[in-house]
Amino acid sequence: MNLGNLASRPARRLLPLLAALALGGGAVAATAAVPANEPGAAVTNVEDTQSPNVASDSVSAAAAAEPSTTDAVVGAQPATGGYTPLGPEWIKGQPTDGAMTFQQQHTPDGHYALWMHDAILLPLIVAISLVVLGLLLWVVARYNRRANAVPSRTSHNTLIEVIWTAVPVLILVAIAVPSITLLSRQYRSPPEDALTVKVTGYQWYWGYTYPDNGGFEVISNMMDEGDAIAQGLPPQLAVDNRMVVPAGEPIRIQTTGADVIHSFAVPSLWFKIDAVPGRLNERVLFIEEPGIYYGQCSELCGARHAYMPIAVEALPRPQFNAWLLSKGGTLGGPEAAPALAPAQEPESGVEGAPGAGAPPTEETAPGTPVPEAA
């Protein structure tokens, strides 16, 4: 068959052939078990993560980086749609208007910390405050000048001194046990096979390097406010490129600073760690479910400190693998990747560098009303 002639024929002649292929593919899919559909399931075949727009030698790098037109369905095979960025309906971690407590937590450590706050710290704070307030009122009423014209000259009371020494000690012990437990959980070493993501703080944007998957780096800048609102994303938090990680498995987060001290903080993940120049800090992160989680740099790092938000996109492992391939990464693990990610000089030191981002203007600064469309 001459494929060139076939391509030149009217499209209606291809409909029967396409219909037959679709029916055949549906029959095969209906009889085959697809365990990789479950979130967090391992992918044993590289071809399972490929789709028409990723990881194909016949597709250019620019075309492979384009998202799929198929809707993102968590748990669906990448072969049915590849990687598609999660939409605003997947936002699970962001500030809430009028909130009085911590954000809803999506990590095991976050759940433990929130339990400690609600079940231990808050009741103790309320109880101590009420006791102190009651004592003050009692003293004011019982020992004022009218009720007690002749003041007592007692200088010591052994029982009271024992009580006000022993009770605070017991309170501190009650707080120390869960506090030390939480510290131990937060700084335990990640498993040897955990995915590594190196987070670099620049003035004023973030860089995410994946040394286990080819060593490529993703530069993340704050999205223009008008573009964020148009896409249904929160202004001043949305970014052009998110830090994409797999959900349901431990992740080794390593942080460093390229110029000054930054701080990588995502409240809904109970995660905060400084990014210090010349030092590599490390913590383990475990995100329970797919979604989008927002944070911000929490260390005053210069004039545009407020304009370097953090956006973490957690995906099931199959979708994460498809994202890796769309960025030119590898799936072979550490042994198939370079030992160290290639070093990148701070782009903020080079005027007009693509990664540095443009400073806010009168039209794009946060809080500026979005101009109405003509």
Side-chain angles (χ1 to χ4, degrees):
M1 178 183 293
N2 189 328
L3 294 179
N5 293 338
L6 178 62
S8 64
R9 295 176 184 174
R12 63 176 180 271
R13 298 186 181 181
L14 293 178
L15 291 178
L17 177 59
L18 294 176
L21 292 175
L23 290 175
V28 173
T31 57
V34 190
N37 284 352
E38 300 178 2
V43 176
T44 57
N45 189 347
V46 174
E47 294 179 356
D48 291 342
T49 65
Q50 297 180 356
S51 68
N53 72 319
V54 293
S56 174
D57 296 336
S58 62
V59 179
S60 65
E66 291 297 324
S68 169
T69 56
T70 305
D71 293 338
V73 179
V74 171
Q77 282 279 16
T80 66
Y83 165 72
T84 301
L86 296 182
E89 67 277 8
W90 286 99
I91 297 176
K92 297 182 179 179
Q94 67 173 340
T96 304
D97 292 340
M100 296 292 291
T101 182
F102 297 103
Q103 294 182 23
Q104 182 180 356
Q105 297 300 305
H106 298 275
T107 64
D109 289 345
H111 291 308
Y112 184 89
L114 192 58
W115 166 83
M116 175 183 168
H117 172 268
D118 293 343
I120 298 178
L121 295 183
L122 197 57
L124 279 175
I125 292 171
V126 172
I128 292 172
S129 299
L130 292 177
V131 168
V132 172
L133 177 61
L135 288 174
L136 287 174
L137 295 176
W138 180 67
V139 169
V140 169
R142 176 67 178 82
Y143 296 103
N144 60 63
R145 180 177 294 181
R146 287 179 300 179
N148 192 37
V150 180
S152 172
R153 296 182 179 276
T154 302
S155 59
H156 295 282
N157 188 306
T158 303
L159 177 61
I160 292 178
E161 291 179 355
V162 170
I163 292 175
W164 73 37
T165 300
V167 170
V169 169
L170 295 176
I171 292 174
L172 292 177
V173 170
I175 295 174
V177 173
S179 296
I180 295 174
T181 301
L182 178 60
L183 286 173
S184 175
R185 289 168 60 110
Q186 290 180 151
Y187 291 97
R188 68 185 184 276
S189 299
E192 183 178 355
D193 59 348
L195 173 76
T196 300
V197 180
K198 181 181 177 183
V199 178
T200 305
Y202 300 94
Q203 289 182 309
W204 286 270
Y205 58 96
W206 295 98
Y208 306 120
T209 307
Y210 295 77
D212 295 343
N213 303 101
F216 66 93
E217 183 177 38
V218 175
I219 296 297
S220 178
N221 282 281
M222 186 178 73
M223 185 181 293
D224 176 78
E225 185 169 359
D227 295 339
I229 294 175
Q231 298 181 32
L233 300 172
Q236 304 180 43
L237 288 176
V239 299
D240 53 1
N241 294 302
R242 301 167 183 156
M243 185 183 87
V244 181
V245 295
E249 60 182 80
I251 306 161
R252 179 185 293 104
I253 302 293
Q254 297 178 337
T255 61
T256 189
D259 29 51
V260 299
I261 299 178
H262 302 271
S263 185
F264 186 83
V266 185
S268 61
L269 301 179
W270 200 263
F271 194 89
K272 184 177 184 294
I273 185 171
D274 286 345
V276 183
R279 165 177 280 181
L280 198 66
N281 291 331
E282 181 176 293
R283 272 189 62 186
V284 63
L285 173 64
F286 186 99
I287 305 176
E288 295 176 332
E289 57 187 13
I292 302 172
Y293 308 91
Y294 288 110
Q296 289 179 311
C297 177
S298 297
E299 183 71 33
L300 187 59
C301 57
R304 287 159 57 194
H305 157 70
Y307 304 143
M308 50 183 304
I310 300 163
V312 178
E313 179 176 330
L315 297 171
R317 172 54 81 161
Q319 278 73 26
F320 173 71
N321 287 344
W323 176 83
L324 286 175
L325 296 175
S326 74
K327 295 296 182 182
T330 63
L331 301 180
E335 65 278 1
L340 294 175
Q344 175 176 332
E345 294 298 326
E347 295 186 53
S348 57
V350 181
E351 185 175 356
T361 65
E362 293 183 358
E363 290 77 22
T364 62
T368 304
V370 180
E372 295 182 1

